[in-house]
Amino acid sequence: MTGKIIYNKIYIKIYNIIYIKSLLVGILILMQLPLYSQADKKYIRKGNREYSKNNYSDSEILYRKAGDENNHSYDASFNIGDALYKQEKYEDAVKQFADNTGKTDDLQKKSDAWYNLGNSLLNSKKLEESINAYKNALKLNPENLEAKYNLGYAQDLLKKQQQQQQQDKQNKDQQKQQDKKDQQQGQQPENKEDTQQQQQQQQPQDGTLSKEDAERLLNALANDEREVQEKVKREKASKARTRVLKNW
């Protein structure tokens, strides 16, 4: 009887020791969690300061360190994409923001990731993909006016691109038909130099331009001016409409 009691006492002591050790390990783990959280936030804050100084390469390094401290940090991952975008590493930014879209269930953050993905795709000249990204951003946040604006801008660029491609195809087909017709008539297609020489010979020898030549020259100058103005407008619009949101 006495031996049995001693056995029970020993068993209880062992159980208590195991329980206390497990409790201590759990407490230590819980104590370390805030330290990890504080470490990644510290790097994010440092990265934000460098980002605000336009030191985008340095900010990227700090954001990546934050991600190393906490690989579940959405903010660190999102801001890496921002830093890549500002360095004009658009292909890398596309991969980063595409990954971010699946890293959170927060609808606002997910919408922001799709929006920034659209901006990165737009600057990578991937118009159709950027349009789809903006549409996804708007599904999650219909009030995102910048996404609406950029969606319309990307759709307009795509339409002009398709029209230009169609026009180029028509011009190419017409040139082929003309070349074929010339060959059938036993003539060689005129080259550019021959055409220019003929035009020069047809011009008045006194140095004055004919009415037709003057009109053609004025039309050409007007077209060149319009193209320059359109180019300036597109560049300004692109810079104004592709502002990256910073999830700080």
Side-chain angles (χ1 to χ4, degrees):
M1 187 73 176
T2 305
K4 188 175 182 180
I5 294 173
I6 292 172
Y7 174 79
N8 288 338
K9 287 181 178 179
I10 292 172
Y11 177 79
I12 291 170
K13 286 181 179 179
I14 293 173
Y15 176 81
N16 287 339
I17 291 171
I18 293 173
Y19 174 77
I20 291 171
K21 285 185 176 180
S22 300
L23 186 62
L24 288 173
V25 170
I27 292 172
L28 288 173
I29 292 173
L30 291 174
M31 289 175 64
Q32 288 177 345
L33 288 177
L35 294 177
Y36 288 130
S37 177
Q38 291 175 6
D40 73 91
K41 289 181 179 178
K42 178 185 70 175
Y43 282 121
I44 289 176
R45 287 194 295 270
K46 287 183 177 180
N48 291 347
R49 286 196 289 270
E50 294 302 321
Y51 188 101
S52 64
K53 297 175 185 176
N54 300 332
N55 298 329
Y56 303 121
S57 178
D58 293 338
S59 69
E60 179 193 347
I61 293 172
L62 291 165
Y63 293 144
R64 291 191 183 279
K65 286 183 178 180
D68 291 339
E69 293 291 338
N70 180 7
N71 56 13
H72 298 295
S73 173
Y74 174 84
D75 290 352
S77 179
F78 188 97
N79 285 2
I80 289 171
D82 281 352
L84 289 169
Y85 182 93
K86 287 297 188 180
Q87 295 175 78
E88 299 183 0
K89 298 178 180 179
Y90 299 123
E91 294 292 340
D92 292 334
V94 165
K95 296 176 183 178
Q96 190 69 31
F97 288 126
D99 183 56
N100 290 340
T101 60
K103 273 195 170 184
T104 179
D105 294 325
D106 185 294
L107 296 183
Q108 181 61 55
K109 289 183 176 181
K110 191 182 287 286
S111 176
D112 291 345
W114 278 111
Y115 171 74
N116 280 1
L117 176 59
N119 290 342
S120 303
L121 288 165
L122 182 62
N123 280 280
S124 299
K125 311 302 181 185
K126 298 178 180 179
L127 298 179
E128 292 187 25
E129 293 92 332
S130 72
I131 289 170
N132 291 331
Y134 290 134
K135 287 180 177 178
N136 285 329
L138 287 168
K139 286 178 183 177
L140 297 167
N141 179 18
E143 303 303 319
N144 189 338
L145 296 180
E146 289 182 323
K148 289 181 182 179
Y149 200 75
N150 282 14
L151 173 60
Y153 178 66
Q155 288 174 329
D156 184 55
L157 285 181
L158 180 61
K159 183 179 179 180
K160 289 180 179 179
Q161 183 185 82
Q162 292 172 339
Q163 290 174 342
Q164 185 61 50
Q165 290 173 347
Q166 183 64 26
Q167 184 63 46
D168 291 343
K169 185 177 182 300
Q170 290 177 356
N171 292 340
K172 190 175 181 180
D173 291 341
Q174 290 175 359
Q175 185 61 48
K176 285 182 178 179
Q177 292 175 1
Q178 184 62 44
D179 291 345
K180 186 177 180 180
K181 183 178 179 181
D182 291 341
Q183 289 175 357
Q184 290 174 347
Q185 294 176 352
Q187 299 176 356
Q188 293 296 327
E190 292 182 337
N191 59 41
K192 189 174 181 181
E193 292 182 357
D194 291 340
T195 303
Q196 288 177 345
Q197 289 176 359
Q198 290 177 6
Q199 290 175 348
Q200 290 174 358
Q201 291 172 359
Q202 292 171 358
Q203 288 181 359
Q205 297 300 316
D206 59 0
T208 62
L209 291 175
S210 66
K211 182 179 179 180
E212 292 79 7
D213 289 340
E215 288 179 353
R216 282 197 295 269
L217 181 59
L218 289 174
N219 289 334
L221 291 173
N223 289 333
D224 290 342
E225 184 178 356
R226 279 197 296 269
E227 288 179 3
V228 171
Q229 290 176 349
E230 285 295 325
K231 183 178 179 181
V232 171
K233 288 179 181 179
R234 286 197 299 269
E235 290 178 351
K236 288 183 178 179
S238 178
K239 291 178 180 179
R241 297 169 186 169
T242 55
R243 182 176 63 82
V244 173
L245 301 177
K246 295 181 282 296
N247 185 13
W248 299 347

